Amino acid sequence: MSDYEQILSAIHAHGRFSGTPCLDRIRALLAALGNPQKKLKFVHIAGTNGKGSIAVLTAAALEQAGYRTGLFVSPFVVDFCERIRINGTYIPREDLCRIASHVLETEQHLQLPEGEYIGEFEFTTACAMLYFLEQGCDIVVLEVGLGGRFDATNVIDCPEAAVMAHVALDHMAVLGNTVEEIAADKSYIVKSDSLLINYPKQKPSVDEVLKKRCYDMRATYLPAVQPENITCTLDGTECVVDGHPFRLRMIGRHQAYNAATAYTALTALRGRGWSIPDEAISTGFAEACMPARQEIVRHEPLLMIDGAHNVDGVTALCETLDSLLPMGGISLVLGMVADKQYEACVRMLTRRADAIYTVQPDSPRALSSRQLASTIREFSPYTNVFDCGDIGSALRRALGSAQDDDVVIVCGSLYVAGEAKNALKDGII
């Protein structure tokens, strides 16, 4: 086993949840590491769907403006190092090993309450903060992992700007059963006397929750500019925001709204003294990309990989299918985890597919491919459903059955998206 594999095993051994929801553990760990987060400046981004896209758009523009820009995102698709980037470059494996080893050693000397321990996301957040400080980042675009109130990234002081992406139902067991409850948790990224930029297409009740948080914290509430003249093709998305035309590599109408949110955040940063020319925003937006977000990886037949894993994400995918691929000939390679609203997602997807090949993601939370196939047959008895088990078998069958002008879409989980990209890289299909 390589040093990198050993370090990854040590990181993953921390577990997903680590005790009582709080910021005490991450504060203790970062304090023992010298509080690197207090020496950095941040754009803090929360939300349910689109926060990753907003993050990469914002970071790309800041990089084009000449700033050394850190980017922290989650989860990763193929390689763990994707989560920590500077100016678009993933943290080198040797640097991750070195910094993670230091954090592991520091962690051993922490005195936490009984039953409390450092979780994987807390550990990774600490590694990122150390790396960004070590590498002299001017600013860090920081994506929330889960929620907001007790998310490890919320250990930071007042950011240069807080940004709220689209809020929808997800992680209800942790965050709440309504979008308003979820928005309330996520709104805790708003600090006293700070600034919140809000996605321009929120549910009105979510807007009210965010406005109240801003009022309570004496923070400025700034709704994002509405995008106009949106045009989507399989090559990307074009839109006009505040009179400025933008071309995005990312596909889907929702990406125009993400771009408008990022644009509003960048213009707000100008008001805080950051020099960000219009050309930097335009170039950054044109170059920014997100893996496994309606990503086309092959043609004839067209193969798209999308990490859509909740109702909101699947809705965006279905909008793209309806507008850009309305002629049929669509096959799905589908795998989901059991703690998502998989039945609602299946109902939407089955109406648009001629054939579905089910797989089981490599996750302890996975829904079995057999159970998924059974659910699809229950909702859509006339859809061709094939229980394939693993991603390699499913892709070989789906691509082998497709004509050159057909479409194969991998979706349902970022785990499945990552497995598909690995299968392509390794030549399995």
Side-chain angles (χ1 to χ4, degrees):
M1 182 181 292
S2 68
D3 289 344
Y4 179 63
E5 290 172 327
Q6 290 178 331
I7 284 294
L8 289 187
S9 295
I11 293 173
H12 295 324
H14 283 77
R16 189 175 181 218
F17 297 109
S18 52
T20 305
C22 65
L23 294 175
D24 295 342
R25 293 180 298 272
I26 184 64
R27 284 176 177 149
L29 179 58
L30 287 171
L33 293 167
N35 281 320
Q37 81 282 2
K38 292 186 176 294
K39 306 176 183 73
L40 295 165
K41 296 182 183 298
F42 299 95
V43 176
H44 201 190
I45 304 176
T48 306
N49 288 91
K51 60 184 183 290
S53 296
I54 294 170
V56 298
L57 288 163
T58 303
L62 287 167
E63 178 188 348
Q64 288 296 321
Y67 295 108
R68 188 163 177 78
T69 306
L71 175 63
F72 183 60
V73 296
S74 64
F76 67 93
V77 178
V78 174
D79 190 329
F80 187 89
C81 291
E82 296 171 27
R83 302 181 70 166
I84 303 171
R85 315 176 196 177
I86 295 178
N87 285 2
T89 300
Y90 302 160
I91 182 174
R93 289 184 173 187
E94 57 269 25
D95 284 341
L96 178 65
C97 290
R98 173 176 54 80
I99 287 175
S101 295
H102 176 47
V103 177
L104 283 168
E105 182 179 354
T106 303
E107 179 188 5
Q108 292 176 359
H109 301 287
L110 286 182
Q111 293 185 346
L112 298 176
E114 184 177 354
E116 301 282 319
Y117 54 91
I118 299 298
E120 179 175 341
F121 189 74
E122 292 167 330
F123 186 93
T124 307
T125 300
C127 290
M129 297 297 184
L130 280 179
Y131 184 65
F132 293 141
L133 179 62
E134 174 190 275
Q135 296 298 313
C137 287
D138 299 308
I139 191 167
V140 174
V141 179
L142 188 67
E143 181 190 348
V144 166
L146 175 63
R149 183 176 187 177
F150 296 125
D151 186 82
T153 63
N154 209 27
V155 72
I156 67 170
D157 295 328
C158 186
E160 295 292 289
V163 181
M164 189 64 65
H166 191 218
V167 177
L169 293 173
D170 202 5
H171 300 293
M172 284 89 80
V174 180
L175 302 178
N177 293 317
T178 68
V179 289
E180 294 79 17
E181 290 175 344
I182 292 170
D185 189 284
K186 294 177 185 295
S187 75
Y188 273 77
I189 66 168
V190 178
K191 305 294 200 303
S192 179
D193 298 315
S194 63
L195 167 68
L196 175 69
I197 294 89
N198 188 22
Y199 184 82
K201 204 178 179 182
Q202 298 280 25
K203 188 175 180 180
S205 59
V206 169
D207 290 334
E208 292 307 311
V209 169
L210 299 177
K211 287 176 183 177
K212 183 180 185 305
R213 173 67 179 179
C214 288
Y215 177 83
D216 291 343
M217 301 304 294
R218 303 183 306 280
T220 300
Y221 172 87
L222 182 61
V225 178
Q226 290 284 344
E228 301 175 324
N229 301 336
I230 303 171
T231 303
C232 301
T233 70
L234 291 176
D235 294 322
T237 304
E238 294 181 2
C239 62
V240 176
V241 181
D242 197 26
H244 299 279
F246 294 116
R247 167 78 180 173
L248 313 175
R249 294 172 62 183
M250 296 179 281
I251 299 171
R253 286 184 62 86
H254 61 290
Q255 295 295 2
Y257 290 89
N258 291 334
T261 308
Y263 171 85
T264 307
L266 290 160
T267 55
L269 288 175
R270 288 173 175 167
R272 295 184 60 85
W274 296 87
S275 177
I276 309 169
D278 289 342
E279 184 179 354
I281 299 177
S282 180
T283 303
F285 281 13
E287 294 183 356
C289 62
M290 279 290 286
R293 272 68 167 188
Q294 298 190 22
E295 179 188 10
I296 294 175
V297 296
R298 182 179 290 185
H299 294 271
E300 296 184 351
L302 188 144
L303 176 59
M304 176 187 284
I305 299 178
D306 186 43
H309 56 276
N310 56 31
V311 170
D312 194 52
V314 169
T315 297
L317 173 60
C318 289
E319 288 176 354
T320 295
L321 298 183
D322 293 344
S323 61
L324 301 183
L325 302 166
M327 302 304 294
I330 296 175
S331 297
L332 301 180
V333 173
L334 183 63
M336 303 196 73
V337 294
D339 57 2
K340 299 293 182 180
Q341 293 177 295
Y342 68 88
E343 291 186 351
C345 294
V346 165
R347 285 183 185 273
M348 287 190 285
L349 290 168
T350 51
R351 294 200 297 268
R352 292 164 171 87
D354 300 304
I356 302 179
Y357 302 81
T358 63
V359 302
Q360 179 170 320
D362 183 13
S363 166
R365 298 150 51 213
L367 183 70
S368 74
S369 60
R370 181 178 179 180
Q371 184 176 347
L372 180 56
S374 176
T375 301
I376 295 168
R377 293 187 183 108
E378 177 184 344
F379 292 151
S380 184
Y382 300 108
T383 299
N384 293 316
V385 183
F386 306 94
D387 176 8
C388 298
D390 66 273
I391 191 71
S393 299
L395 280 170
R396 281 191 292 268
R397 291 189 66 176
L399 292 170
S401 301
Q403 303 297 314
D404 284 351
D405 57 352
D406 286 342
V407 179
V408 177
I409 299 172
V410 180
C411 62
S413 166
L414 280 167
Y415 294 108
V416 172
E419 292 167 27
K421 289 181 75 71
N422 275 322
L424 285 166
K425 183 181 68 174
D426 296 340
I428 295 174
I429 53 172

